[in-house]
Amino acid sequence: MTLHFHLEYETIFGEEVMLNLVGNEGVKTHRMATFDGKDWFCDLRLSKTDSTLSYYYNVTGRDNNNRNEWQIVKHVLDLTCAKATEYTIYDHWNGMPEDSYLYSSAFTDCINHQEPEQMKDTTYAQTLQLTVRAPQLRDGERLAVIGAHPSLGAWNPDKALPMTLHTYGEWAVNIDASVLHEEPVELKFVIMNTAGHVMMWECGYNRTITLPDMKKNQVVVYHLNQAFFEIWNRKVAGTLVPVFSLRSKESAGIGDFGDLKMMIDLMEKTGQRVLQLLPINDTTITHTWTDSYPYSCISVFAIHPQYVNLRALPALADEKERKEAEAEGARLNALPQIDYEGANAFKSKYLQKVYLQEGKKIMKSAEFKAFFQETQNWLVPYAQYSWLRDLNGTADFTKWKDHNTWDETERKTLGDPRSKEYQEVAFYYFVQFVLSTQMKEAHEYAKQKGVILKGDIPIGVNRYSCDVWTEPKYFNLNGQAGAPPDGFSANGQNWGFPTYNWEEMIKDGCQWWVRRFQSMSMYFDAYRIDHVLGFFRIWEIPIHSVHGLTGQFAPSQAMSREEIMQYGLNFQEQRFTEPFITDWVLDRVFHERADEVRQTYLERIDHERYRMKPDVDTQRKIEARFENVTRQEDLWLRDGLYSLLSDVLFVRDHNNPDMFHPRISAQLDFIYESLYDNDKQAFNRLYNDYYYHRNNQFWYREAMKKLPKLVQATRMLVCAEDLGMVPDCVPWVIDELKILSLELQSMPKSPTMRFGDINSYPYRSVCTISSHDMPTLRQWWDEDYSRTQDYYNTMLGRQDAAPHPLPGELAKEIIARHLDSPSMLCILSIQDWLAMDEQLRLPDADAERINIPANPKHYWRYRMHLNIEDMIANTALTDTVSTLIRQAGRS
């Protein structure tokens, strides 16, 4: 079989176009030829082994200026013409389309339910194969072609030729070409319903195709430009709730995957199409409540055992144990908040009993063997890591007696059911199999119900995670990831995660991230990239710091002494880079305890300044010294000592100590206050240029080294959390890669606005009122009366005094306004939905808070106070929600 590929694509001197055939054995690349740099061609001889051929084009050039087609949906050539010996393909370059979201599994699998199928074989002597992309079609619709020629229906809608959805968003049809050579072929594409009736014609003029001279048994293939129909953009609504916060009558003190299926039922009943969750990864480090932080995972692949649905497991054979378990589960479930340690200890003990009772049988099943084969790359080291963590009583693998790093040579033994080592770790295999099976069932259930499950990809991993233990080359352990100061935390946020060694990751094609995203796609059809700014640059904090103020963006372009002085600032290196501690500073910070601080913690440098004594010269040393202190006065003293160490005007670059970064928010500290006015003005010019202009192009290039690979790793719908200190380059990348932005009225993207304009949100966005890191709507309303009054007058158009607390009807109006936004997704927290009903919502608004970012040791224990069963049965609630969604045109 001979294939003649033709591609019209304009290149410049030195560039070449490559044709890449994708098969089971990988990608085979073929160089194309050209005479004019515009029309490229390639002839191949292949044996026909499959019914389709998948391929894509890319351009290679000088200076690594390579370009790839959009690869979420590759070119597909149907080889279904039984007599064909020759195919001539006329292609066009597939860039990322503006409506790329329609090709995501969120739309194809969950909303539009468009499942590709194989084309039927045809036996024409000569065949015209038409292929066209039409991703707008919805559930129950299919594409058809109609034209002037009798074989195309002679413009009679009843005789239109149905096409086959041969890949996501793309339709194809084989036509007998032997009767079409007399004149150009004039045609259009139309949408048919399940009854075969034409519902809509594509926009634009009729299409015209002139066929070349054709041989017997030849197929001519035209990949045509997308068919566009006047169909309104789909908007949907949804709910944000962590799995751990779900509550049902039968769960065991913490939300589980059985509750998740019930929550999907609630989504369906209320007309919601999206259920957004927080990360479900395993976070077990200490087996204490501090592990409740869902963004500090020990594995980017493993699921947290706390989410297991015990009701779906075989019942315990021992009646006494079964009744004891039922009683303990009921006790935990009756608590108003999550008892993290109690619930996890109970579930772990229960799983061990089920494992002893059923484990051998389950692990001999074909389902388990398939799971192990698919996941063993990460599952085997995760299981050994978990076993060693529990054996040594700590997750800090640097303190383990042996196995301080993963030994790849042990993989075979750990995967052999006959070995002693396998028996040691088999329980962890079993648990992950159960969790994966249950989550996949919930995922399939959601798709059947037309609900998109939206996951969350944490930006970091725990410093002592299995990922760091297994692949340390990808992490920088001498720094800590966090965020600069913002409205949530004046001292910045220190997450404690290691930062990424992007140079090593990029060298490996970002495969660690690709595997991570592909694993997640087994459970979700959309995802939120936590702190997407971290792919541009991360806020890297020194390992010896507790607060985030002395961090710096990494990577970033630091400043030399000469550059700093060019701004007119008299650069005094020692004075500006070492803590500024003077008598007047001490009096201002410590008041009556200033002398105590001088004598206990400081030593003099000269007549003006002090420095910290060696045993307290870092924040970590101070933290250790005050570890067991509980008196508020002493904690206040500790925080004052922390602030002394961060009072610098510049921080040294982590890689080059002769380069410098202006310290974030330095204008609020004493070193800045000590400057002359002209030096303050010079520093402000330097500061603004550094943080808002200097690195924009640099950070754009950094993001584009990573994000295109990750966005195209799966067909999940990509949403970004792009809040915080957002450089100008972020919206450039978000728009170029067609990622959905996050829009909050209380955090407008424009610095000139106090509240965002809901009506101006872009379609490719997620509109919300609050997130898990923020006060709920009710909390925000009472947090700042002056701000609320301004919002009440300007945004809601009211003239009287704003009522407090927030009335249910006013919450309903605010929700309705958000649902009316142009955003594709409007996802509201479960707390904000319930704010509409004063009888249902919690009396104490503060009890609804999930996380407080300023507190790195916050206990994540919020749990819905209502059972999902009762919410489903509450017709007043479900009717109110569904009516609001329907009135907003979200379906």
Side-chain angles (χ1 to χ4, degrees), residues 183-197:
E183 55 190 27
V185 180
E186 192 175 8
L187 57 90
K188 284 182 89 76
F189 295 103
V190 295
I191 296 177
M192 300 174 67
N193 61 17
T194 52
H197 299 142

Side-chain angles (χ1 to χ4, degrees), residues 1-5 21 46-55 73-91 116-124 127-133 142 162-175 217-223:
M1 180 174 63
T2 304
L3 305 179
H4 307 284
F5 289 90
L21 306 184
L46 299 175
S47 57
K48 181 179 176 181
T49 56
D50 297 309
S51 59
T52 60
L53 177 68
S54 177
Y55 63 96
V73 178
K74 297 178 175 66
H75 295 270
V76 173
L77 175 63
D78 281 289
L79 306 174
T80 50
C81 301
K83 297 180 179 179
T85 58
E86 185 174 350
Y87 284 78
T88 302
I89 305 103
Y90 295 98
D91 260 335
E117 55 186 350
Q118 185 175 324
M119 288 184 67
K120 296 179 180 178
D121 286 351
T122 55
T123 56
Y124 304 133
T127 304
L128 168 63
Q129 186 176 112
L130 299 180
T131 300
V132 65
R133 294 193 170 180
R142 75 182 304 158
M163 301 180 72
T164 300
L165 182 70
H166 71 161
T167 188
Y168 294 104
E170 187 172 275
W171 301 77
V173 64
N174 288 330
I175 302 169
N217 298 331
Q218 182 181 6
V219 180
V220 174
V221 182
Y222 284 98
H223 286 276

Side-chain angles (χ1 to χ4, degrees), residues 280-282 297-304 371 374-379 381-382 432 435-436 458 461 466-467 470-471 511-520 522-523:
I280 60 173
N281 303 90
D282 191 358
C297 60
I298 63 164
S299 169
V300 297
F301 303 103
I303 298 174
H304 202 305
F371 166 78
E374 183 180 359
T375 63
Q376 61 179 316
N377 185 60
W378 65 264
L379 181 62
Y382 163 79
Q432 286 302 311
L435 291 163
S436 179
V461 299
C466 177
D467 301 285
T470 308
E471 300 181 275
Q511 284 304 302
W512 183 83
W513 284 96
V514 170
R515 295 196 308 270
R516 181 179 183 182
F517 281 56
Q518 290 174 343
S519 175
M520 193 173 183
M522 295 190 298
Y523 312 117

